[in-house]
């Protein structure tokens, strides 16, 4: 069986994994560069007043000019 899988993709793939609650954790790398109108996550289609996705056991680290942020996605 598969115990671990890393998914790296664009906003459509990332959004579908988050909407399907298929991810256990996430790592986000932010560079000090603004891209014109690109989104990392699209509409998660949450119901009104439904809480957003929460990250627990978070951490961060600088790597050169980049910032790396990680955490475990909370399970409801």
């Amino acid at each position: 069986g598969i115990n671990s899988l890393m998914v790296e993709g664009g906003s459509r793939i990332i959004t579908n994994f988050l909407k399907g609650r298929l991810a256990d954790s996430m790592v986000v790398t932010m560079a000090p560069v603004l891209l014109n109108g690109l989104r990392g996550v699209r509409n998660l289609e949450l119901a009104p007043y439904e809480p957003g996705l929460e990250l627990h056991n978070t951490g961060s680290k600088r790597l050169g000019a980049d910032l790396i942020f990680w955490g475990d996605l909370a399970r409801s």
Side-chain angles (χ1 to χ4, degrees), residues 19-51:
K19 282 172 55 175
R21 309 257 184 205
L22 298 172
D24 296 317
S25 61
M26 63 186 308
V27 177
V28 178
T29 303
M30 293 179 282
V33 176
L34 298 177
L35 301 176
N36 187 25
L38 296 178
R39 291 180 175 214
V41 176
R42 294 175 184 224
N43 185 353
L44 293 175
E45 300 176 6
L46 298 173
Y49 305 108
E50 181 180 353

Side-chain angles (χ1 to χ4, degrees), residues 3-70:
N3 294 325
S4 180
L5 175 69
M6 179 183 150
V7 176
E8 181 178 3
S11 63
R12 190 172 289 153
I13 291 172
I14 293 167
T15 300
N16 286 332
F17 265 80
L18 293 173
K19 282 172 55 175
R21 309 257 184 205
L22 298 172
D24 296 317
S25 61
M26 63 186 308
V27 177
V28 178
T29 303
M30 293 179 282
V33 176
L34 298 177
L35 301 176
N36 187 25
L38 296 178
R39 291 180 175 214
V41 176
R42 294 175 184 224
N43 185 353
L44 293 175
E45 300 176 6
L46 298 173
Y49 305 108
E50 181 180 353
L53 300 175
E54 292 185 30
L55 291 173
H56 297 278
N57 303 319
T58 60
S60 63
K61 182 176 185 169
R62 291 197 66 97
L63 183 60
D66 296 348
L67 175 64
I68 302 171
F69 177 80
W70 62 85

